[in-house]
Amino acid sequence: MTKVDLITGMLGSGKTTFIRKYAEYHLGKGSRIAILLNDYGAVNIDMVMLKDLECDRCEVSMVVGGADADCHKRRFKTQLINLGMQHFDRVIIEPSGLFDMDEYFDTLYESPLDRWYEKGSIITIADPFSDDDLSDEIKFIMGSESSCCGSLIVSKLKGDEPSSVTKNLTARLNSSLEFIGCRRRFSVSDMIARPWDKLTDEDFQKISSSGYRNESYTKLYNRDTLSTRVHYFMHVHIPEDHITGLVKDIFTDPSCGKIYRIKGSLQSGNGSWLRLNATPATMSLTPADDGQAVLIVIGDELDLSSINDHIRPLNTDPEYVSI
């Protein structure tokens, strides 16, 4: 049977970066793998980031969001059927940051998937530098996505952080678990907390065999009742020296909403691509082999008009559209 691993984590926590390293480990062991990006949105910039992994032993595909939760679940199942018929050794699923854990478990129990797949590991990526001031919705997402994991991987560490960094993360996770009525609690010893370039084959073997836990919690929200939303701004062409200022202005303008992440890809003046990944605390703008002219803004109570007011004066592409 094909093992299925689920990589969960908050928006901007580093799921895609970890998947690259995790996939490279399995490819190095000679496995045939597939990566399934399961997103409610219309554009998946993470697929662009992972496309270069494709080879005769690695397929990268995605589920595009449906009109409603049932439609999305059908598309998710259809993609799993397609991959199941190809008999991969392992399928690695990266869900949207707004993911229903019940959908994952329920789908794998359905026929014919229950004959082709066995659950592997649930791996949660946790950002220790995220905002401590969490809304109830973010507490719900953080708690529900970490509740069942077999491995908890701390992201964005350089190796010289004080011990208080992981202690604060532990407190934040446990507060979220308590908020959703889950009995599970984490300690620092439960985490893999070191720079990812220091992870060894032994670490990845331990992660890939860590399994998952059956934990219950109160389902306080669903996809339709969450105010956390994603807006897409396409055909964006902004001078490179204005990108950083634009992103900071959107983050700090309260009329835009409470924003957790801005990501995307933009072209520089010489036609090469730049990959953007930003949170309120950090921002990276790095060269990329290819891309798609899009900005993706994720947050609570987003105001499309206010964000547009920041982008339009700088954008030179006449086909600009926002949804």
Side-chain angles (χ1 to χ4, degrees):
M1 297 179 76
T2 298
K3 282 188 178 291
V4 186
D5 294 329
L6 181 67
I7 315 296
T8 71
M10 289 296 299
L11 303 161
S13 61
K15 296 190 299 293
T16 306
T17 302
F18 177 79
I19 284 177
R20 171 176 290 278
K21 292 181 176 294
Y22 190 61
E24 289 172 344
Y25 162 75
H26 285 292
L27 290 171
K29 296 296 182 182
S31 299
R32 290 184 65 247
I33 66 172
I35 301 170
L36 179 58
L37 305 171
N38 183 26
D39 203 338
Y40 283 126
V43 179
N44 197 316
I45 197 67
D46 296 335
M47 186 166 181
V48 176
M49 295 171 64
L50 296 170
K51 265 293 188 182
D52 64 302
L53 289 173
E54 286 194 320
C55 61
D56 59 352
R57 290 188 294 110
C58 180
E59 178 176 326
V60 181
S61 57
M62 69 176 289
V63 180
V64 179
D68 53 47
D70 288 338
C71 177
H72 182 269
K73 184 176 179 179
R74 288 195 299 271
R75 293 181 181 182
F76 180 36
K77 181 177 179 179
T78 298
Q79 282 284 21
L80 286 174
I81 289 173
N82 175 50
L83 296 175
M85 293 172 67
Q86 299 180 59
H87 304 292
F88 289 98
D89 297 308
R90 189 174 295 262
V91 173
I92 302 167
I93 299 176
E94 179 193 13
S96 163
L98 314 175
F99 185 68
D100 188 339
M101 290 291 291
D102 290 341
E103 178 181 300
Y104 170 72
F105 286 110
D106 291 347
T107 303
L108 290 183
Y109 282 126
E110 293 179 3
S111 178
L113 301 180
D114 59 346
R115 301 195 302 272
W116 296 343
Y117 289 106
E118 61 177 325
K119 298 181 188 70
S121 297
I122 296 179
I123 303 163
T124 295
I125 311 302
D127 178 1
F129 306 109
S130 61
D131 192 350
D132 285 331
D133 182 20
L134 304 179
S135 68
D136 287 350
E137 293 185 1
I138 295 302
K139 286 182 181 179
F140 168 73
I141 296 170
M142 177 179 285
S144 63
E145 292 194 342
S146 62
S147 61
C148 299
C149 72
S151 290
L152 184 72
I153 317 295
V154 183
S155 63
K156 304 179 182 179
L157 296 178
K158 296 180 179 178
D160 56 356
E161 292 82 6
S163 60
S164 59
V165 170
T166 48
K167 288 181 180 178
N168 289 343
L169 173 60
T170 303
R172 194 157 59 242
L173 286 165
N174 288 338
S175 174
S176 297
L177 290 167
E178 181 178 9
F179 176 73
I180 63 173
C182 180
R183 292 179 298 178
R184 185 176 188 181
R185 296 294 182 269
F186 289 103
S187 66
V188 172
S189 62
D190 295 322
M191 306 175 179
I192 296 179
R194 55 180 169 277
W196 287 355
D197 59 0
K198 304 296 185 185
L199 294 176
T200 65
D201 280 4
E202 183 179 351
D203 291 324
F204 282 113
Q205 171 57 35
K206 180 180 178 181
I207 293 167
S208 67
S209 60
S210 60
Y212 62 96
R213 288 175 53 164
N214 285 311
E215 296 286 348
S216 61
Y217 58 87
T218 304
K219 194 170 182 178
L220 301 172
Y221 301 95
N222 58 43
R223 177 195 174 194
D224 296 324
T225 58
L226 281 169
S227 66
T228 303
R229 290 290 182 263
V230 181
H231 280 318
Y232 298 85
F233 303 84
M234 293 176 284
H235 298 288
V236 178
H237 194 166
I238 295 171
E240 185 175 345
D241 57 352
H242 284 80
I243 295 173
T244 299
L246 169 66
V247 171
K248 289 181 178 178
D249 287 346
I250 294 173
F251 271 120
T252 56
D253 182 354
S255 70
C256 293
K258 183 175 178 59
I259 297 173
Y260 299 109
R261 188 181 183 192
I262 301 175
K263 63 179 181 176
S265 57
L266 300 167
Q267 276 190 305
S268 65
N270 63 10
S272 62
W273 287 97
L274 299 169
R275 184 167 295 127
L276 170 70
N277 194 357
T279 66
T282 63
M283 187 176 77
S284 65
L285 193 63
T286 56
D289 293 334
D290 55 19
Q292 184 178 6
V294 60
L295 286 177
I296 302 171
V297 180
I298 305 160
D300 291 343
E301 307 294 345
L302 295 181
D303 188 292
L304 182 61
S305 176
S306 294
I307 300 171
N308 268 325
D309 287 344
H310 286 283
I311 297 174
R312 285 187 184 279
L314 298 173
N315 187 40
T316 60
D317 190 329
E319 297 183 17
Y320 172 74
V321 62
S322 56
I323 55 174

PDB file of all heavy atoms in Angstrom, residues 83-95:
ATOM      1  N   LEU A  83      -3.545   9.255  -8.164  1.00  0.00           N
ATOM      2  CA  LEU A  83      -2.212   8.913  -7.656  1.00  0.00           C
ATOM      3  C   LEU A  83      -2.162   7.467  -7.174  1.00  0.00           C
ATOM      4  O   LEU A  83      -1.149   6.777  -7.345  1.00  0.00           O
ATOM      5  CB  LEU A  83      -1.826   9.868  -6.520  1.00  0.00           C
ATOM      6  CG  LEU A  83      -1.670  11.343  -6.904  1.00  0.00           C
ATOM      7  CD1 LEU A  83      -1.401  12.192  -5.674  1.00  0.00           C
ATOM      8  CD2 LEU A  83      -0.552  11.528  -7.925  1.00  0.00           C
ATOM      9  N   GLY A  84      -3.260   6.989  -6.568  1.00  0.00           N
ATOM     10  CA  GLY A  84      -3.295   5.618  -6.072  1.00  0.00           C
ATOM     11  C   GLY A  84      -3.138   4.603  -7.190  1.00  0.00           C
ATOM     12  O   GLY A  84      -2.516   3.541  -7.002  1.00  0.00           O
ATOM     13  N   MET A  85      -3.659   4.893  -8.360  1.00  0.00           N
ATOM     14  CA  MET A  85      -3.553   3.977  -9.502  1.00  0.00           C
ATOM     15  C   MET A  85      -2.127   3.897 -10.044  1.00  0.00           C
ATOM     16  O   MET A  85      -1.793   2.975 -10.786  1.00  0.00           O
ATOM     17  CB  MET A  85      -4.512   4.426 -10.607  1.00  0.00           C
ATOM     18  CG  MET A  85      -5.989   4.287 -10.222  1.00  0.00           C
ATOM     19  SD  MET A  85      -7.116   5.011 -11.431  1.00  0.00           S
ATOM     20  CE  MET A  85      -6.840   3.909 -12.832  1.00  0.00           C
ATOM     21  N   GLN A  86      -1.275   4.857  -9.639  1.00  0.00           N
ATOM     22  CA  GLN A  86       0.105   4.856 -10.117  1.00  0.00           C
ATOM     23  C   GLN A  86       1.067   4.160  -9.153  1.00  0.00           C
ATOM     24  O   GLN A  86       2.251   4.023  -9.447  1.00  0.00           O
ATOM     25  CB  GLN A  86       0.570   6.294 -10.359  1.00  0.00           C
ATOM     26  CG  GLN A  86      -0.251   7.014 -11.414  1.00  0.00           C
ATOM     27  CD  GLN A  86       0.232   8.437 -11.628  1.00  0.00           C
ATOM     28  OE1 GLN A  86       1.382   8.671 -11.972  1.00  0.00           O
ATOM     29  NE2 GLN A  86      -0.656   9.404 -11.407  1.00  0.00           N
ATOM     30  N   HIS A  87       0.559   3.733  -7.992  1.00  0.00           N
ATOM     31  CA  HIS A  87       1.326   2.902  -7.051  1.00  0.00           C
ATOM     32  C   HIS A  87       2.645   3.552  -6.622  1.00  0.00           C
ATOM     33  O   HIS A  87       3.703   2.934  -6.674  1.00  0.00           O
ATOM     34  CB  HIS A  87       1.592   1.525  -7.661  1.00  0.00           C
ATOM     35  CG  HIS A  87       0.351   0.811  -8.089  1.00  0.00           C
ATOM     36  ND1 HIS A  87      -0.597   0.346  -7.193  1.00  0.00           N
ATOM     37  CD2 HIS A  87      -0.125   0.515  -9.328  1.00  0.00           C
ATOM     38  CE1 HIS A  87      -1.595  -0.218  -7.861  1.00  0.00           C
ATOM     39  NE2 HIS A  87      -1.342  -0.123  -9.161  1.00  0.00           N
ATOM     40  N   PHE A  88       2.558   4.791  -6.169  1.00  0.00           N
ATOM     41  CA  PHE A  88       3.734   5.435  -5.575  1.00  0.00           C
ATOM     42  C   PHE A  88       4.060   4.778  -4.240  1.00  0.00           C
ATOM     43  O   PHE A  88       3.199   4.172  -3.598  1.00  0.00           O
ATOM     44  CB  PHE A  88       3.465   6.925  -5.356  1.00  0.00           C
ATOM     45  CG  PHE A  88       3.414   7.740  -6.615  1.00  0.00           C
ATOM     46  CD1 PHE A  88       2.205   8.067  -7.202  1.00  0.00           C
ATOM     47  CD2 PHE A  88       4.584   8.179  -7.220  1.00  0.00           C
ATOM     48  CE1 PHE A  88       2.153   8.816  -8.363  1.00  0.00           C
ATOM     49  CE2 PHE A  88       4.542   8.930  -8.381  1.00  0.00           C
ATOM     50  CZ  PHE A  88       3.335   9.247  -8.958  1.00  0.00           C
ATOM     51  N   ASP A  89       5.311   4.911  -3.827  1.00  0.00           N
ATOM     52  CA  ASP A  89       5.684   4.426  -2.499  1.00  0.00           C
ATOM     53  C   ASP A  89       5.101   5.321  -1.407  1.00  0.00           C
ATOM     54  O   ASP A  89       4.730   4.864  -0.334  1.00  0.00           O
ATOM     55  CB  ASP A  89       7.208   4.383  -2.349  1.00  0.00           C
ATOM     56  CG  ASP A  89       7.848   3.409  -3.314  1.00  0.00           C
ATOM     57  OD1 ASP A  89       7.417   2.237  -3.346  1.00  0.00           O
ATOM     58  OD2 ASP A  89       8.778   3.811  -4.050  1.00  0.00           O
ATOM     59  N   ARG A  90       5.039   6.611  -1.716  1.00  0.00           N
ATOM     60  CA  ARG A  90       4.600   7.568  -0.692  1.00  0.00           C
ATOM     61  C   ARG A  90       3.969   8.776  -1.370  1.00  0.00           C
ATOM     62  O   ARG A  90       4.454   9.252  -2.390  1.00  0.00           O
ATOM     63  CB  ARG A  90       5.799   8.011   0.158  1.00  0.00           C
ATOM     64  CG  ARG A  90       5.451   8.834   1.382  1.00  0.00           C
ATOM     65  CD  ARG A  90       6.698   9.094   2.235  1.00  0.00           C
ATOM     66  NE  ARG A  90       7.233   7.879   2.794  1.00  0.00           N
ATOM     67  CZ  ARG A  90       7.009   7.444   4.040  1.00  0.00           C
ATOM     68  NH1 ARG A  90       6.234   8.153   4.844  1.00  0.00           N
ATOM     69  NH2 ARG A  90       7.549   6.335   4.481  1.00  0.00           N
ATOM     70  N   VAL A  91       2.877   9.263  -0.789  1.00  0.00           N
ATOM     71  CA  VAL A  91       2.249  10.509  -1.211  1.00  0.00           C
ATOM     72  C   VAL A  91       2.361  11.498  -0.056  1.00  0.00           C
ATOM     73  O   VAL A  91       1.992  11.186   1.080  1.00  0.00           O
ATOM     74  CB  VAL A  91       0.782  10.312  -1.610  1.00  0.00           C
ATOM     75  CG1 VAL A  91       0.108  11.664  -1.867  1.00  0.00           C
ATOM     76  CG2 VAL A  91       0.675   9.431  -2.851  1.00  0.00           C
ATOM     77  N   ILE A  92       2.890  12.674  -0.344  1.00  0.00           N
ATOM     78  CA  ILE A  92       3.067  13.722   0.655  1.00  0.00           C
ATOM     79  C   ILE A  92       2.042  14.817   0.366  1.00  0.00           C
ATOM     80  O   ILE A  92       2.038  15.393  -0.725  1.00  0.00           O
ATOM     81  CB  ILE A  92       4.492  14.305   0.597  1.00  0.00           C
ATOM     82  CG1 ILE A  92       5.535  13.191   0.820  1.00  0.00           C
ATOM     83  CG2 ILE A  92       4.662  15.414   1.620  1.00  0.00           C
ATOM     84  CD1 ILE A  92       6.951  13.605   0.474  1.00  0.00           C
ATOM     85  N   ILE A  93       1.174  15.086   1.321  1.00  0.00           N
ATOM     86  CA  ILE A  93       0.107  16.061   1.126  1.00  0.00           C
ATOM     87  C   ILE A  93       0.420  17.331   1.903  1.00  0.00           C
ATOM     88  O   ILE A  93       0.652  17.296   3.118  1.00  0.00           O
ATOM     89  CB  ILE A  93      -1.250  15.505   1.579  1.00  0.00           C
ATOM     90  CG1 ILE A  93      -1.615  14.255   0.765  1.00  0.00           C
ATOM     91  CG2 ILE A  93      -2.341  16.559   1.440  1.00  0.00           C
ATOM     92  CD1 ILE A  93      -2.895  13.589   1.211  1.00  0.00           C
ATOM     93  N   GLU A  94       0.431  18.445   1.192  1.00  0.00           N
ATOM     94  CA  GLU A  94       0.507  19.751   1.852  1.00  0.00           C
ATOM     95  C   GLU A  94      -0.860  20.415   1.728  1.00  0.00           C
ATOM     96  O   GLU A  94      -1.256  20.849   0.651  1.00  0.00           O
ATOM     97  CB  GLU A  94       1.551  20.664   1.218  1.00  0.00           C
ATOM     98  CG  GLU A  94       1.593  22.016   1.914  1.00  0.00           C
ATOM     99  CD  GLU A  94       2.374  23.088   1.159  1.00  0.00           C
ATOM    100  OE1 GLU A  94       2.690  22.895  -0.023  1.00  0.00           O
ATOM    101  OE2 GLU A  94       2.639  24.139   1.763  1.00  0.00           O
ATOM    102  N   PRO A  95      -1.600  20.507   2.820  1.00  0.00           N
ATOM    103  CA  PRO A  95      -2.912  21.150   2.737  1.00  0.00           C
ATOM    104  C   PRO A  95      -2.776  22.657   2.790  1.00  0.00           C
ATOM    105  O   PRO A  95      -1.726  23.212   3.106  1.00  0.00           O
ATOM    106  CB  PRO A  95      -3.617  20.624   3.984  1.00  0.00           C
ATOM    107  CG  PRO A  95      -2.508  20.448   4.966  1.00  0.00           C
ATOM    108  CD  PRO A  95      -1.301  20.007   4.165  1.00  0.00           C
TER     109      PRO A  95
END
